[in-house]
Amino acid sequence: MNRREYLKCMASLIALSSAAIPGLAIAMGPEDKFTIAQLKYKGAFNTRPTALRRLTLEVEKRTSISTGPKIPRLSATQKSLYQYPLLFWSGDQAFDSLPQKATQALRDFLLSGGMLVVDASDGVVDGPFVQSIRRELTAVFPNRKLSSIPSDHVLYKSFFLVDKPVGRLAISKELEGIFDEDRLVLILSQNDMLGAWAKDNFGSWTFNCEPKGDKQREMSYRLGINIVMYALCTNYKSDQVHVPFILKRRKWKVD
Amino acid sequence: MSTYNSGDLLWLGDWGSLWILFLLILGAFVFAISYYDLRILSKRKCWTLVGLRIWVYLLAVLFLLEPAIDLKNTSKVKNQVAVLIDSSISMDLPSEAGSKTSRLSLAKSGLKALNIPPNKTDDEHVYSFFHFDKESELLPNTDALQAIGPKTDLAGVLEDIKKGFSQKDLGGIIILSDGIMNGDMGSRTRRGETLDAATKSTLERFQAPINTMVSGDPASLRDLAIVNLARDDFAFVHNKVSIEVSIQAVGIKDRDLKLMLSRDGKEVQTRLLKIRKGKSIYKLRFEFVPQKIGKEVYSIDLPHLENEALYENNHAQFLQKIIRDKIRALQVVGRPSWDERFLRRHLKQNPNVDLISFFILRTNQNIRVAGNDELSLIPFPTDELFQDELGSFDLVIFQNFNFGPYDMRRYLSEISKFVKEGGGFVMIGGDLSFSKGGYANTAIADILPVELSDDSDAIDFRPFKPQLTDAGTRHPITTLAFDPTANRELWKQLPDQRGTNIVLKAKEGASVLAVHPTLSYGGEKMPVITIGEAEEGRVMALTTDSTWRWGIERVGDGGTSREYQLFWNNAFRWLIKDPELKLIRIENQKEEFDVGSATKIAVRLSKPDYTPLTNQQITLSVEFKPFDKQTKDPVKLYTRQIRTDGGGIGETMLKMEKAGIYTIFAESKTDGGVLKDRDVIIALGSVNEYRDILPRPKFLKQVASASGGRFTRLGKDTPSVNLLPSKSIQVNRRRVIHLWDTPWSFLLIIALLASEWMLRRRWGRL
């Protein structure tokens, strides 16, 4: 750098400092960091209060994604929902039907780019919560049905190579989903993923994972990170450039 | 009467055949009554009186029929004969190997041998002389005729002749040519083939013999020629282009030669041409992948051999128009984010975009709790992306990406070069971008349209709404609504951006489309959306990383994601120089012209809102460079000032006197800046006539045969023609003599009536 360039640079910094700038930060600001929102509804919506923050912390630790500290809890009709395109819906019991306004808002949110992950904490396959969810989903998407997410879907390889979906429990062997064209807009898990991620204030796991303990918990985290990665990168890992690598690691034959 | 050589009897009376029949029957009745009345008389007296009455009756009927004699002086009408002499440039070639007689000279000699009288008329025919190439023209003086025509279109010429002689009897056509026809007829019937059905039908419909005389002998010639290039008019960038070259080698012994394809004087590919006995036509194929959109001039060359009849046909040039089939975009992202996700989704949904994404999913700062085999991560293919394949992209997107951790500094100059050679580049903000990404004082900083701060922490995270500048109000990237006021209002309604990278100011020549509402530098508001050009390429700098909010938060506000999609679509179209978004466009009717032809060059100017820019001055200049490889620098032909009309179009003419590359530059200083465009056209000399220079006697023989004419090999046979004899008669003088309309005829009737009356009285009949 010559003298003229140096002076120019210094002048620019002085000028910028003199502008009305409240502060300089090392990132674009907390608002612009990745955050997961939690759906608030009439009923026990916050069954695993610490789980989502734990997940975002793991995401921050293990991936290049920069995450925010907050987990906003928002109702379906709140306009700010659109600031958080990844939304978790959890519960452990049946709940009353959502108002029509709320189902309409959820549909608009999901079709405009949002993604919803439903996690049942009750530990029962097709329990009361899931039945309520299925009822609501027919209202949100009358013409789309939940279907099994195939095991070769990019969700299972968006970051970790995951063989099967597990959470605190492993009672359901598959995830279900609703697609908008090729994009998953909704994922339904019945294995209590949030239960596997939750910690108490002392840093201890809130629940034990069954039947495989901490190994299962790790696999559940990996699935959670994959869900986040899928939300942010969609089918990136199904791009042709990745396919040979992934097949090789899965020890599948490459033609 | 001696002036009349023929005559006819006419009946001028306007009597129908029924009336004539009635009069004859009436006459017979009168004859019968008379005979009955006079039967008591002697036979002699009876027949005398009846005879007189019949004569009177017949004379009366004759008068009614008004007989006349039509006297005529007639002569034969001579048939027209069109004599066509080929004056295309191939007729200037030697008639045979080693001969100094040109084909045209031989044709002229053949014409003399036909012994056509100097007044071009004999007993049966009148001869009209024409010379022809792509069209025919009357030939007043055969001796002065020169072979300079660029093309030979026999079908078109015959059609003209047919029209020209449509009111006259055509006794035949005499064609003196080497048979090299590159119009429809000659192209349909290739060398060695029989005439196609369409040509035969055309010739038969002519109803006059076409006599052909071939000038030149193909047997003894020695020539190596590129006779045809089979290729498409346009090709897609990054897609294989195939060009099939047909080569004719005659009179050349077995040998191997090099066929070379070159672009801008530089060799692109070569092929081995193996000339072997018994084969004259060879086909070789070039295949290559064009890397840039635009027009490229290619040359195909064969070596010169000794004693070839012609060297010009050892070379061929063509202009290849290369267009885009899909936008190939490379999206490189430093970390997954909503901004990346919405942009990727938008690009993936566009069928015209071929997107290659590469995201950094994990960095060295992340904890590694799993082995690589448990992850789907792949190595960052920097070599492949930024060295091997970079040229195959139209657009590179750096979205919140810092190059530092990936040892990429050495590739930054490659990216800079890629842009300067015509690529598009956009840097999107984020905490890994601009100065924060370490781009200050790098090759990328050189091409960015903004000046970067050396402060690597220069980020402001307050929400803000970008403010459109005047340029931004009109520029296609930021035009989200056609009306400028509505556009400004629309931008005010868009969701806030959450923070911005801090840059200093726009570079000179760059256009700032939107600024930060509060941040400023040197009295100027800090640019947020800035565009610029880096030599041939285009660059955009967007200092925020939250345009994705226009795609979803706007929906939450009751709007749609239209503005997000429109903004990015506009941006990509501008970055890749979508021709539809050019405000100045040189428009040519075609790319390849014949030497000597003239073309109209039109320059279309538009305002930023794409309405015509009227009454605007344009500086238009033309440079010329011949095809030869020795000439390195083009020569400026002219610079003209033209003005646009009410439609925003300025025009001028360009005459292409020489074969070569004509590069047209248009420049106009407008309120929105200096607009420039460039276009290339080429002029090809005698391209058709010199491709295949071997005379085509077989073709001409078939033409003669199909039309009933005769075929002559000039210099070898005695010229002989078949012409239709004259059939029509011309009346030079005519006179009609009315036989009944005289006093004598009336006196004759009176005399006959008087005689009958007198004899009847004498013979005792009242």
Side-chain angles (χ1 to χ4, degrees):
Chain A
M1 181 186 285
N2 60 30
R3 189 172 60 89
R4 181 171 291 180
E5 284 172 336
Y6 177 76
L7 289 173
K8 193 171 148 187
C9 191
M10 290 303 292
S12 67
L13 288 174
I14 292 165
L16 284 167
S17 303
S18 63
I21 304 172
L24 297 172
I26 55 165
M28 283 294 246
E31 262 199 89
D32 221 38
K33 291 188 172 185
F34 172 77
T35 308
I36 300 170
Q38 189 170 15
L39 186 70
K40 193 166 71 178
Y41 60 98
K42 274 188 182 172
F45 72 89
N46 198 11
T47 51
R48 312 283 186 245
T50 62
L52 290 176
R53 179 58 189 140
R54 288 290 162 193
L55 176 64
T56 56
L57 283 172
E58 286 301 316
V59 167
E60 174 103 26
K61 273 198 297 189
R62 302 191 192 197
T63 75
S64 60
I65 299 168
S66 183
T67 62
K70 287 193 305 180
I71 301 295
R73 295 184 169 94
L74 304 164
S75 68
T77 51
Q78 272 184 275
K79 213 172 74 172
S80 52
L81 187 68
Y82 286 86
Q83 296 178 26
Y84 310 96
L86 180 58
L87 181 68
F88 267 69
W89 186 349
S90 59
D92 58 2
Q93 53 191 261
F95 56 89
D96 294 339
S97 294
L98 298 181
Q100 193 187 348
K101 201 176 168 186
T103 55
Q104 173 70 42
L106 274 178
R107 178 164 57 243
D108 292 346
F109 167 75
L110 295 174
L111 294 181
S112 60
M115 183 175 162
L116 178 61
V117 181
V118 181
D119 186 53
S121 311
D122 49 8
V124 184
V125 175
D126 271 333
F129 175 72
V130 172
Q131 285 180 22
S132 297
I133 286 289
R134 290 189 194 280
R135 182 195 65 220
E136 293 310 307
L137 290 182
T138 27
V140 175
F141 289 122
N143 300 318
R144 297 168 204 245
K145 287 186 176 170
L146 273 167
S147 59
S148 172
I149 299 172
S151 60
D152 61 349
H153 190 268
V154 71
L155 182 69
Y156 296 113
K157 56 192 175 193
S158 58
F159 189 80
F160 290 104
L161 299 176
V162 174
D163 292 329
K164 54 186 176 184
V166 291
R168 176 177 64 85
L169 304 168
I171 52 176
S172 174
K173 291 181 179 174
E174 61 180 19
L175 295 174
E176 292 173 82
I178 291 177
F179 290 84
D180 175 28
E181 295 178 356
D182 62 339
R183 183 176 72 91
L184 262 175
V185 294
L186 182 137
I187 297 169
L188 170 60
S189 158
Q190 301 197 46
N191 288 329
D192 190 13
M193 292 187 297
L194 271 63
W197 306 336
K199 276 187 176 180
D200 61 24
N201 292 334
F202 300 103
S204 306
W205 299 115
T206 310
F207 302 100
N208 291 326
C209 290
E210 294 174 4
K212 293 190 176 175
D214 283 349
K215 189 178 176 190
Q216 184 172 313
R217 192 188 312 279
E218 169 61 19
M219 297 316 289
S220 177
Y221 263 119
R222 289 184 185 186
L223 179 62
I225 290 167
N226 271 18
I227 290 171
V228 169
M229 202 58 89
Y230 177 79
L232 290 178
C233 304
T234 60
N235 56 355
Y236 166 62
K237 279 293 170 186
S238 61
D239 283 1
Q240 200 56 39
V241 66
H242 303 278
V243 172
F245 289 90
I246 293 169
L247 289 178
K248 195 175 173 184
R249 285 175 194 169
R250 286 191 185 275
K251 296 183 171 50
W252 291 348
K253 188 181 172 187
V254 183
D255 290 328
Chain B
M1 291 293 283
S2 61
T3 55
Y4 301 101
N5 52 12
S6 70
D8 296 305
L9 180 63
L10 301 178
W11 303 97
L12 302 177
D14 189 17
W15 296 90
S17 53
L18 281 176
W19 273 107
I20 294 170
L21 182 65
F22 171 73
L23 290 172
L24 290 174
I25 292 168
L26 183 66
F29 182 71
V30 169
F31 165 72
I33 293 290
S34 296
Y35 182 76
Y36 180 77
D37 181 45
L38 299 171
R39 69 186 183 280
I40 56 171
L41 293 177
S42 65
K43 209 169 190 175
R44 182 181 60 82
K45 290 178 181 173
C46 173
W47 281 111
T48 302
L49 289 175
V50 169
L52 285 170
R53 288 176 187 179
I54 288 171
W55 272 111
V56 169
Y57 183 80
L58 288 176
L59 281 172
V61 169
L62 202 65
F63 285 2
L64 285 173
L65 295 177
E66 300 179 28
I69 292 174
D70 185 11
L71 295 173
K72 287 179 279 193
N73 180 291
T74 60
S75 59
K76 275 187 179 177
V77 176
K78 295 178 182 177
N79 279 353
Q80 299 291 322
V81 176
V83 181
L84 305 171
I85 307 174
D86 188 348
S87 59
S88 65
I89 200 163
S90 67
M91 291 291 284
D92 203 32
L93 295 168
S95 57
E96 56 188 75
S99 171
K100 290 187 178 176
T101 306
S102 72
R103 297 172 188 181
L104 184 61
S105 302
L106 189 61
K108 287 177 183 175
S109 305
L111 190 60
K112 282 179 185 157
L114 284 172
N115 292 322
I116 295 170
N119 64 354
K120 298 177 185 171
T121 305
D122 61 20
D123 292 343
E124 296 280 339
H125 305 106
V126 174
Y127 298 86
S128 302
F129 286 17
F130 300 87
H131 72 96
F132 74 100
D133 41 63
K134 60 183 177 182
E135 53 195 19
S136 59
E137 193 176 345
L138 266 174
L139 179 62
N141 181 3
T142 312
D143 293 336
L145 181 63
Q146 290 183 315
I148 52 173
K151 185 181 176 185
T152 319
D153 180 12
L154 183 60
V157 167
L158 287 178
E159 198 59 37
D160 288 347
I161 293 294
K162 193 172 181 182
K163 280 182 193 164
F165 288 95
S166 61
Q167 302 298 319
K168 296 175 181 174
D169 290 332
L170 194 60
I173 292 174
I174 301 169
I175 297 172
L176 300 101
S177 168
D178 57 4
I180 297 174
M181 305 292 169
N182 26 59
D184 286 348
M185 198 179 280
S187 307
R188 283 203 300 263
T189 306
R190 293 179 188 172
R191 186 178 292 280
E193 293 177 349
T194 54
L195 287 185
D196 65 296
T199 303
K200 276 185 185 170
S201 170
T202 304
L203 296 172
E204 283 164 6
R205 277 203 309 273
F206 228 79
Q207 295 182 330
I210 299 173
N211 301 277
T212 55
M213 300 182 178
V214 68
S215 177
D217 182 5
S220 55
L221 279 175
R222 173 183 164 85
D223 190 45
L224 184 64
I226 296 168
V227 291
N228 191 42
L229 297 178
R231 64 183 184 89
D232 290 328
D233 290 341
F234 58 86
F236 294 110
V237 69
H238 308 310
N239 285 262
K240 190 170 68 180
V241 177
S242 182
I243 296 163
E244 188 183 77
V245 187
S246 298
I247 297 152
Q248 182 173 264
V250 289
I252 298 166
K253 290 181 180 172
D254 290 5
R255 64 191 299 178
D256 293 346
L257 298 170
K258 191 170 84 168
L259 179 72
M260 185 170 77
L261 173 75
S262 54
R263 179 180 55 229
D264 298 332
K266 291 175 188 167
E267 181 180 314
V268 176
Q269 283 178 13
T270 58
R271 293 285 180 270
L272 189 64
L273 172 63
K274 296 181 175 180
I275 297 175
R276 296 293 179 263
K277 192 180 177 184
K279 189 177 177 186
S280 60
I281 297 291
Y282 301 84
K283 291 192 174 176
L284 296 176
R285 186 180 292 273
F286 287 111
E287 288 180 342
F288 60 96
V289 178
Q291 298 296 327
K292 283 198 300 184
I293 293 163
K295 293 176 179 176
E296 291 182 331
V297 179
Y298 288 86
S299 181
I300 296 176
D301 302 286
L302 282 166
H304 291 186
L305 304 181
E306 280 183 16
N307 301 323
E308 275 192 71
L310 188 72
Y311 288 120
E312 280 91 331
N313 59 12
N314 293 36
H315 310 278
Q317 294 84 22
F318 64 92
L319 192 148
Q320 189 68 56
K321 195 173 177 184
I322 298 153
I323 60 173
R324 175 181 290 112
D325 60 342
K326 280 187 169 187
I327 302 170
R328 277 180 55 89
L330 171 63
Q331 182 191 22
V332 185
V333 178
R335 67 161 52 111
S337 67
W338 292 120
D339 204 36
E340 155 272 307
R341 143 56 200 288
F342 276 80
L343 190 60
R344 173 182 159 86
R345 181 88 187 142
H346 175 65
L347 289 168
K348 276 282 181 188
Q349 283 180 325
N350 188 337
N352 295 319
V353 176
D354 193 359
L355 178 69
I356 303 292
S357 297
F358 201 89
F359 303 162
I360 304 297
L361 301 185
R362 190 179 70 174
T363 67
N364 288 335
Q365 281 74 49
N366 295 124
I367 294 170
R368 300 181 182 218
V369 294
N372 281 344
D373 285 351
E374 296 171 275
L375 295 158
S376 64
L377 305 183
I378 66 170
F380 190 9
T382 47
D383 271 354
E384 288 85 345
L385 291 177
F386 303 112
Q387 194 163 288
D388 303 342
E389 299 295 332
L390 186 60
S392 70
F393 294 104
D394 302 304
L395 175 68
V396 174
I397 304 163
F398 269 20
Q399 185 167 19
N400 193 27
F401 172 73
N402 57 338
F403 67 94
Y406 316 106
D407 192 22
M408 269 190 59
R409 182 173 284 273
R410 61 201 167 108
Y411 299 113
L412 300 186
S413 56
E414 292 291 325
I415 296 166
S416 170
K417 187 179 161 210
F418 156 79
V419 174
K420 287 175 180 173
E421 288 177 354
F425 180 78
V426 54
M427 181 172 281
I428 301 172
D431 62 315
L432 304 175
S433 206
F434 292 98
S435 297
K436 190 77 172 71
Y439 288 100
N441 305 313
T442 65
I444 294 293
D446 290 343
I447 58 168
L448 283 176
V450 290
E451 289 186 6
L452 301 185
S453 157
D454 282 347
D455 176 8
S456 61
D457 284 342
I459 287 181
D460 182 89
F461 55 80
R462 290 172 300 164
F464 71 100
K465 281 189 196 298
Q467 288 180 345
L468 285 188
T469 60
D470 284 345
T473 313
R474 299 187 308 264
H475 198 277
I477 292 180
T478 39
T479 301
L480 306 180
F482 185 73
D483 177 62
T485 311
N487 194 31
R488 278 187 191 277
E489 286 304 311
L490 194 53
W491 275 82
K492 285 178 187 168
Q493 292 167 19
L494 292 178
D496 286 356
Q497 298 295 290
R498 310 301 208 273
T500 178
N501 293 81
I502 290 176
V503 296
L504 300 181
K505 61 177 183 176
K507 286 182 184 168
E508 197 176 331
S511 297
V512 180
L513 306 182
V515 293
H516 196 282
T518 54
L519 293 177
S520 61
Y521 168 75
E524 296 284 328
K525 288 187 171 176
M526 192 198 85
V528 174
I529 304 171
T530 316
I531 55 167
E533 301 200 351
E535 295 185 13
E536 297 292 314
R538 288 182 170 177
V539 184
M540 180 166 119
L542 173 68
T543 59
T544 84
D545 66 349
S546 26
T547 57
W548 66 274
R549 293 176 185 275
W550 300 342
I552 184 164
E553 278 189 42
R554 179 106 174 107
V555 180
D557 292 339
T560 68
S561 58
R562 172 190 165 276
E563 287 78 18
Y564 175 78
Q565 293 168 8
L566 199 57
F567 171 78
W568 280 113
N569 283 342
N570 290 345
F572 292 137
R573 287 178 68 192
W574 182 84
L575 283 162
I576 60 158
K577 297 184 181 175
D578 186 332
E580 293 301 314
L581 284 186
K582 282 168 78 174
L583 298 178
I584 185 168
R585 284 212 310 265
I586 299 172
E587 297 177 342
N588 282 305
Q589 293 160 344
K590 54 182 186 173
E591 280 86 36
E592 294 182 359
F593 296 84
D594 293 331
V595 166
S597 62
T599 184
K600 187 192 287 176
I601 301 171
V603 183
R604 185 185 294 274
L605 266 183
S606 303
K607 293 177 187 171
D609 60 3
Y610 292 92
T611 54
L613 185 53
T614 59
N615 197 28
Q616 176 73 26
Q617 183 167 295
I618 300 167
T619 304
L620 191 138
S621 58
V622 180
E623 286 181 358
F624 169 73
K625 185 173 174 291
F627 288 125
D628 65 75
K629 294 183 174 61
Q630 290 76 37
T631 310
K632 299 288 180 197
D633 298 320
V635 177
K636 182 163 273 190
L637 290 185
Y638 64 69
T639 298
R640 288 178 189 161
Q641 303 298 326
I642 56 176
R643 271 195 179 274
T644 55
D645 58 15
I649 297 172
E651 293 178 342
T652 188
M653 294 298 292
L654 170 64
K655 181 154 192 194
M656 287 153 283
E657 306 276 9
K658 296 177 186 172
I661 305 162
Y662 292 79
T663 309
I664 304 156
F665 300 90
E667 184 177 315
S668 183
K669 288 178 185 168
T670 68
D671 294 342
V674 179
L675 303 176
K676 292 178 183 176
D677 195 21
R678 173 182 177 274
D679 196 20
V680 176
I681 56 177
I682 58 173
L684 300 170
S686 310
V687 61
N688 299 306
E689 288 289 313
Y690 281 168
R691 282 283 152 250
D692 179 359
I693 61 165
L694 294 186
R696 297 183 65 183
K698 190 179 172 188
F699 172 73
L700 290 180
K701 190 174 183 179
Q702 290 184 85
V703 169
S705 174
S707 61
R710 289 184 189 150
F711 169 70
T712 303
R713 292 176 301 161
L714 290 173
K716 292 187 169 58
D717 306 332
T718 305
S720 160
V721 293
N722 175 31
L723 301 173
L724 296 178
S726 168
K727 286 180 184 171
S728 301
I729 298 294
Q730 179 176 284
V731 177
N732 303 314
R733 186 183 293 178
R734 187 178 187 186
R735 186 183 169 199
V736 176
I737 300 170
H738 297 270
L739 295 177
W740 60 278
D741 193 14
T742 63
W744 295 108
S745 55
F746 286 99
L747 284 175
L748 179 62
I749 286 182
I750 290 167
L752 288 170
L753 284 172
S755 301
E756 193 272 347
W757 180 79
M758 192 174 71
L759 288 173
R760 181 159 45 86
R761 298 286 297 214
R762 176 175 289 181
W763 291 337
R765 299 289 293 178
L766 292 177

